[in-house]
Amino acid sequence: MEPIKQDRPSAGLFILMTAVYFGAYFGLKYGVFGGALPWYYNVALILACLLLALALRKRFAGESE
């Protein structure tokens, strides 16, 4: 068996990023665009959340070493 990797993101970070994504998605869709969010805004939002998650992972991985 392979040992558990210590550099995995925590469950808390996953929940936080999920909440940020859904908050931004529904805020844009119903708050800004009145229910009609263009598909490319959704793609841009997903990419922004992924980049933010990678940046946070690198930042916190650097502190633990």
Side-chain angles (χ1 to χ4, degrees):
M1 288 180 54
E2 185 176 327
I4 296 173
K5 295 180 181 178
Q6 298 297 325
D7 63 344
R8 288 181 26 192
S10 67
L13 180 60
F14 175 77
I15 292 170
L16 176 66
M17 293 307 298
T18 302
V20 166
Y21 170 76
F22 281 115
Y25 175 79
F26 287 113
L28 281 171
K29 183 170 184 170
Y30 295 109
V32 177
F33 292 104
L37 183 69
W39 67 268
Y40 47 86
Y41 275 61
N42 192 27
V43 171
L45 183 59
I46 290 170
L47 289 175
C49 284
L50 286 173
L51 291 173
L52 180 61
L54 288 174
L56 287 173
R57 180 178 175 200
K58 287 181 182 178
R59 179 178 176 206
F60 288 118
E63 290 178 1
S64 65
E65 293 179 312

